[in-house]
Structure formats: structure tokens, C-alpha cells
Amino acid sequence: MRSPTKRASHHPQRHSSQHRFEEQHVSTETVTTPGNTPHLERQLSNRHIQLIAIGGAIGTGLFMGSGKTISAAGPSVIFVYMIIGFMLFFVMRAMGELLLSNLHYKSFSDFAADLLGPWAGFFTGWTYWFCWVITGIADVIAIAAYSEELWPGVPLWIPGIATVVILLVLNLATVRAFGETEFWFALIKIIAIAALIIVGLFMIFSGFQSDAGPATFNNLWSHGGMFPNEFMGFVAGFQIAVFAFVGIELVGTTAAEAKDPEKNLPKAINSIPIRVLLFYVGALIILMSVTPWTQFQAGHSPFIAMFSLAGLGAAATIVNLVVLSSAMSSANSGIYSTSRMVYGLAQEGDAPTVFSRLSSRKVPQNALFLSCILLLSGIVLMYAGKDIGKAFDMVTTVSAVCFVFVWSIILASYLKFRSRRPHLHESSKYKMPGGVPMVWVVFAFFAFVLWALTTQPDTLVALLVTPIWFILLGVAWIILRKRPSHLARYAEFQKDLAGEKEVAEEKALADAELADAKASREN
């Protein structure tokens, strides 16, 4: 590929380059590759992308895990969620700028492979796949457990298999069916949180009384202050709450299937701060105002407790249904993201070729079957023994640590992008705020989170076993990287990216010329 310096000397061809850029960026339904290879279709509309982003930001942890977080950190948990949300917003903005710099990037593993090298794409793609497979297995187990509460006596394997079959059928249809399903799952979560906030505000302003005392905003600071468990309690909040944000990057795996990504991805990413403030901070403020934080316990849903206080007898059933749909949403996201990631890895030569094939509906069905077969292993694990709950606590912690690795790779890719392609950054209409200095601030925050994980025995064990995964990946990479089939497919991947990259760079230079000409006229 020509260097930017050489390309700059071909200004007489600027008009044709600009025309070619416009031709390649017309919004179409199907994404094609230079060789007319079947590719993923752009079927996800703005409302799908927006709700997928919301679904990724609101995890099951908010409904069931917030009791543990509140009991550990007290009211300071409000600041915990605000800080985590603030930091991850910059990760998402860096991801957005990179994805939009080359519309042939299907996900963040693609730009990692392009900017940091093929090893980064391999490690990022397979680590992200591993994260979601583990999370998906845990979700299948959770769905079976919630189903047993709603329908006592039902054999655990029935809801487990039913979940996997339903999600497989929905994902095999079209990507639009996935988007539609995720849209309604996310809407259920939004309605549940909105209902909690409205009911809670009514209880506060109506002077509601319970055995724990009156519902008032004073409860936030009248039981030991905002930091009742001091600094280490505040730290404990981080090592629990960071897991609630797992999946926030999910919108980045929709890049190849989003309609008008240059418009819809930024809208979804920019709404992250509002979502965090409303759905996490707003809900927690209401919960701890209605009931003092000292009443919350790990393993008990604060949502069920508050609706029960309000005299809504069906609260347990309603919240169980909401949590069930939340777990279904997470499993749905897991099946979608793992299948797309394996499809991308196969295209780059990092996974068997069989997973790079699309069905007639432009869906990576072989990759979907792989994900679903692995999710079925959750049903086997349900019958493995009584300590499976503890084992899954540790495994999902490993998964969350791996998510921190993926977020870090996104930021490392951004740093490389800034140094290698400054002209693309300058022409970008969606620059990451704070730039390079903010990347190092977020890296420092991730270091703090890893340190926080060492302060609790269960998360420390998970942190210590995580390197095993990366050792296994390293061995696989050493075996794979020299294979002719891998080298050939990676070369094709680079060729595919180069066409779009060249057009983007030519447009950047054309935009710079226009800006210079405009400045000259004004002077």
C-alpha cells in the first residue's frame, strides 16, 4: 500500500478519489468484500443499536448483585458506579473512533489485529469469546434456577435446553431477529428500573414508614455517612461492581451489521453516561433512600425487597421474571457476540475455515452451533455437585478479569492508531475526548481495579488462575502463526482492510486540502 506521503503527491486525482469514497460509503443493506464474498448484512437499525447498548450496560448484576455491592461499600457505591461508568465511557469512545476509521472493521478484534499485529487479534478475539462462553454458561444455569422458583418442581434440564434452542432459532433467522429480541429484553429491564424509581420516589415523598424507619433521602448519610466502611469498603465496591459493566462493549461487535454505523454507533456510545446515571446511580439512590443500606444483604435482590415494602405482593414473581429476561438477554448477547467473534477469527486465519461460512440468511451458522453446544455444557454442570455455585463465582470473576484485558487492548489499539495514522485521527468526526492523556488515566484505573481484586480471597484466587488462559493462548499462537493457511487468510484480511483504509486516508487528505483552501480564502 502506498504511504500517505506518496499519496499526497497525486492531487490531480483527488476528484476521482473523493468520488470513489462516496461510492463506497453509500448506505447499503449488504456489506461485500472485494471478491464478492458473502458478508454480514447491515440489518440493525438505530433503535436496535440503542437498546443493544443499553442491554449491554445493564447487567443481571444490578438486579441481583447490587445487594452485595451495597452491603460492602454502603452509600459510597454511588460513586463506585459513577467512576466505573465514567472510565468505561472513554474506552467506548476510543472504540468508536477506531471502528469508524475503517468500516471494514467488523469488531474490535479486527482493529487490534490491524494496528497491534495479528497476535493481538488472536488474543483479543479468543479472550472475548472465552469471556462470553463462560458468562453464557452461567446465564443458562441462572435461567434454570429462576425457572425453578417460578415453576417449582420443573427439572433443571428443561429450561436449560429450552433456552439454548430458543436463542439458537432466533439467531439463526437473521441478525434483525437478534436485534428485535434484544430490543424487547432491554426494554423490560428499562421498564423495571423506571418502575422502581417511580415507586421509590412516591414512597419517599409520601413519608412511607417501615420497620427500618422512614423513607427519606437522609438515609443516604445518616447511617455512618457516605463512606461507612471507610476506604477498604469503598475498594470492595469496585471489585464487585466492575463485573456489572461486563458487556458494555457489546455494541462494538455490531459494527459490521449496523445500518448507517457512522450515525448510529456514536449515538449509542454517547448515551452511556446518561444510562449509567439513570439506571445505576438513580436506582441505587432510590433503594438506599427507601431502606437504609444496613438492611441490604448479599444474595438478596434489593428490587424484590423494595417492591415488597411497597405492598406489591407479586413483587417476587415480577422481579424474578425481570431477572429471568435479563439472564436471557445476556445469554442472547453471548451467543451473538461469540458467533461473530469466531466468524471474524476464521476470516483472519485464527480459527478453522468452517466457521467463516455464512448461511443463505447471511448468518454465521457454524459459529452459532459451536456457541450453543458449549452453552449446553452448563446443563451438565448443574448436576455436577453442590459447590458449583462457588466454582461459577470464581469462573465468572476470571471472565471479568479477561474483559478488563479486552478493554485494555482497545485502548492500546487507540494509542497505536494515534501514532501511526494521525491524519485519520485529524479527519475523524468522532474523536475520543481527552485523547492520549485520558488513555493513561484509564490504564491507571484498571491497575487500581486489579489491585482491588487482590483484597478479597475469592477474587484473588480468580486473579491468580487467569494467566493459565493466556498461557494456553500463547501456546496455540506459537503453533498457529507459521501455518501457511493462517498466513494466507491474514494476508487476505489485510488486503480487504487496505482498500477501505486507502479510501479513508484519501478522504482525510481531501478534507485537509479543503480546510486549507477555506482558511486561505478567509485570510
Side-chain angles (χ1 to χ4, degrees):
M1 194 181 126
R2 294 172 295 168
S3 69
T5 309
K6 289 180 181 178
R7 194 176 296 113
S9 64
H10 290 259
H11 291 308
Q13 299 176 356
R14 181 69 57 221
H15 178 75
S16 62
S17 296
Q18 183 68 18
H19 177 68
R20 184 156 63 91
F21 173 84
E22 288 166 358
E23 282 185 338
Q24 290 194 21
H25 281 73
V26 172
S27 179
T28 59
E29 289 297 301
T30 306
V31 183
T32 57
T33 59
N36 291 322
T37 307
H39 212 297
L40 301 173
E41 286 196 337
R42 296 195 182 278
Q43 294 186 2
L44 296 177
S45 66
N46 178 50
R47 71 183 178 90
H48 293 138
I49 297 296
Q50 295 295 325
L51 270 292
I52 287 169
I54 290 174
I58 308 171
T60 312
L62 177 63
F63 295 101
M64 296 304 292
S66 49
K68 184 178 179 182
T69 318
I70 293 170
S71 64
S76 67
V77 73
I78 295 168
F79 304 114
V80 169
Y81 279 98
M82 287 176 71
I83 292 168
I84 297 172
F86 175 78
M87 294 296 178
L88 291 183
F89 171 67
F90 292 98
V91 177
M92 297 303 98
R93 283 298 299 260
M95 180 183 74
E97 181 175 343
L98 290 171
L99 286 173
L100 296 179
S101 72
N102 188 333
L103 294 184
H104 278 208
Y105 289 144
K106 295 177 292 296
S107 69
F108 37 82
S109 72
D110 278 3
F111 64 63
D114 182 36
L115 294 163
L116 299 176
W119 70 269
F122 179 83
F123 273 75
T124 305
W126 280 116
T127 298
Y128 194 69
W129 171 86
F130 172 71
C131 292
W132 273 112
V133 165
I134 295 297
T135 305
I137 290 171
D139 286 328
V140 168
I141 291 175
I143 289 165
Y146 295 132
S147 298
E148 192 178 32
E149 287 190 29
L150 291 167
W151 299 284
V154 65
L156 293 178
W157 62 268
I158 293 177
I161 290 178
T163 298
V164 176
V165 171
I166 290 168
L167 295 179
L168 175 62
V169 169
L170 288 170
N171 279 270
L172 275 176
T174 60
V175 67
R176 185 178 177 83
F178 160 77
E180 211 53 55
T181 308
E182 199 57 28
F183 174 86
W184 291 106
F185 278 147
L187 201 59
I188 290 170
K189 290 190 272 191
I190 292 168
I191 291 169
I193 295 171
L196 174 108
I197 292 172
I198 292 167
V199 170
L201 286 172
F202 176 79
M203 293 168 76
I204 292 166
F205 290 115
S206 64
F208 177 83
Q209 292 275 348
S210 69
D211 293 340
T216 169
F217 287 117
N218 290 338
N219 283 332
L220 291 172
W221 52 81
S222 59
H223 295 269
M226 294 295 288
F227 294 84
N229 292 333
E230 300 178 339
F231 179 70
M232 290 313 294
F234 183 58
V235 169
F238 279 96
Q239 61 100 10
I240 301 166
V242 73
F243 308 142
F245 286 86
V246 159
I248 199 170
E249 74 302 309
L250 181 65
V251 71
T253 64
T254 67
E257 294 170 289
K259 291 180 181 177
D260 197 2
E262 292 175 311
K263 177 183 176 184
N264 292 331
L265 286 179
K267 284 176 69 175
I269 292 170
N270 287 343
S271 61
I272 286 174
I274 297 169
R275 292 200 298 270
V276 170
L277 285 173
L278 178 62
F279 298 125
Y280 281 98
V281 178
L284 291 171
I285 287 174
I286 294 299
L287 286 169
M288 290 184 288
S289 296
V290 171
T291 307
W293 73 270
T294 52
Q295 303 296 310
F296 292 94
Q297 297 177 8
H300 296 274
S301 171
F303 281 68
I304 294 177
M306 204 200 82
F307 282 126
S308 298
L309 273 180
L312 301 174
T317 302
I318 293 168
V319 176
N320 271 322
L321 284 170
V322 169
V323 176
L324 185 67
S325 72
S326 183
M328 283 283 284
S329 169
S330 180
N332 192 37
S333 299
I335 286 175
Y336 172 84
S337 57
T338 52
S339 63
R340 268 55 179 184
M341 199 59 74
V342 171
Y343 168 75
L345 287 164
Q347 284 204 318
E348 293 161 33
D350 293 336
T353 313
V354 67
F355 297 121
S356 66
R357 295 170 191 161
L358 294 178
S359 69
S360 59
R361 296 175 182 270
K362 303 295 187 291
V363 169
Q365 63 179 20
N366 291 339
L368 273 170
F369 286 132
L370 173 67
S371 299
C372 289
I373 288 168
L374 291 170
L375 289 190
L376 286 172
S377 64
I379 298 165
V380 178
L381 289 172
M382 281 188 286
Y383 295 94
K386 294 180 180 179
D387 293 331
I388 195 66
K390 287 185 178 180
F392 262 90
D393 281 347
M394 189 182 80
V395 171
T396 50
T397 302
V398 171
S399 174
V401 173
C402 290
F403 270 107
V404 172
F405 168 79
V406 171
W407 297 334
S408 300
I409 286 288
I410 291 172
L411 293 177
S413 300
Y414 176 80
L415 290 177
K416 183 63 72 173
F417 171 75
R418 287 292 301 270
S419 65
R420 282 177 55 186
R421 295 169 194 163
H423 48 291
L424 285 184
H425 168 71
E426 288 303 319
S427 66
S428 173
K429 295 178 181 176
Y430 192 61
K431 294 183 176 71
M432 173 190 165
V436 172
M438 197 62 220
V439 169
W440 292 108
V441 171
V442 181
F443 274 140
F445 171 71
F446 286 159
F448 164 76
V449 169
L450 293 178
W451 169 77
L453 292 172
T454 67
T455 64
Q456 301 293 321
D458 52 346
T459 52
L460 175 60
V461 172
L463 190 63
L464 293 175
V465 301
T466 302
I468 295 172
W469 167 251
F470 292 103
I471 291 169
L472 292 174
L473 275 186
V475 172
W477 175 244
I478 290 169
I479 296 170
L480 179 73
R481 64 187 180 130
K482 298 292 186 183
R483 287 190 174 179
S485 58
H486 163 76
L487 296 171
R489 277 189 284 170
Y490 185 74
E492 187 61 32
F493 164 72
Q494 286 289 76
K495 182 182 175 183
D496 185 26
L497 289 180
E500 184 75 21
K501 194 188 305 176
E502 183 174 332
V503 171
E505 289 176 348
E506 287 177 345
K507 181 182 180 292
L509 288 166
D511 288 346
E513 267 205 346
L514 288 172
D516 290 343
K518 184 178 179 182
S520 298
R521 286 196 302 269
E522 289 175 353
N523 292 333

